[in-house]
Amino acid sequence: STDKDALQKHFSVYGEVTDCIVMKNNQTGKSRGFGFVTFVDPDAVTVVLAKKHQIDGRTVDAKQCNARGTMPAMGKPGPGGGGQRNGAGFTGRTTKIFVGGLPNDASEDNLKIFFSKYGPVNHVAIMYDQEKDRPRGFGFLTFDSEDAVEEAVKDHFVDFHGKKIEVKRAEPRQGGRRPNFMVNRD
């Protein structure tokens, strides 16, 4: 299976890569068949999206990713997705959490209602595959206080409508918003 180094090596040909991650199954540690790459230059994303890619003998599908409800500004890739790496080791103060393993029927409204038991929720974004018109299974919530985040992340996994979902602090990006895209093997 493709690892972070192979992904970074392949895509760094198109421009400086600031972040690269291969998504893995938490239980098995094996690749889930997709990952995220973040470039410094938005023009690199445009070039990557226009080409077909083969990594480790497999065809991969490159797609731009944006948070649901956000639109790219002036033709540039928008915020969200791949550049936001959510390490369990991040312990800094933040008002944002990552939620992973969301069921397909999760909505921004029912997430807001569920997590409001920890404190007022200012914003919810479920990451969305605009091309396939379906949710990606993870998202981000912003609370109005760091204390609400502390309460929400006490249990790493919580039961959300009968499904265990992962809850972690959202790790802040280095250097602000950058263009993102996702690679998905066929």
Side-chain angles (χ1 to χ4, degrees), residues 110-130:
N110 61 27
L111 279 171
K112 186 172 187 171
I113 291 165
F114 179 84
F115 281 96
S116 65
K117 65 185 173 187
Y118 302 111
V121 176
N122 293 341
H123 182 72
V124 179
I126 295 175
M127 302 314 287
Y128 203 74
D129 184 329
Q130 293 168 336

Side-chain angles (χ1 to χ4, degrees), residues 81-104:
Q84 247 161 327
R85 211 198 227 157
N86 301 292
F90 180 68
T91 58
R93 300 292 283 176
T94 180
T95 57
K96 192 180 224 181
I97 63 170
F98 164 86
V99 289
L102 295 174
N104 285 337

Side-chain angles (χ1 to χ4, degrees), residues 129-150:
D129 184 329
Q130 293 168 336
E131 192 173 292
K132 292 184 179 173
D133 195 32
R134 64 183 173 114
R136 294 192 185 277
F138 68 95
F140 300 91
L141 279 89
T142 305
F143 289 99
D144 78 341
S145 75
E146 295 170 341
D147 292 335
V149 170
E150 295 300 316

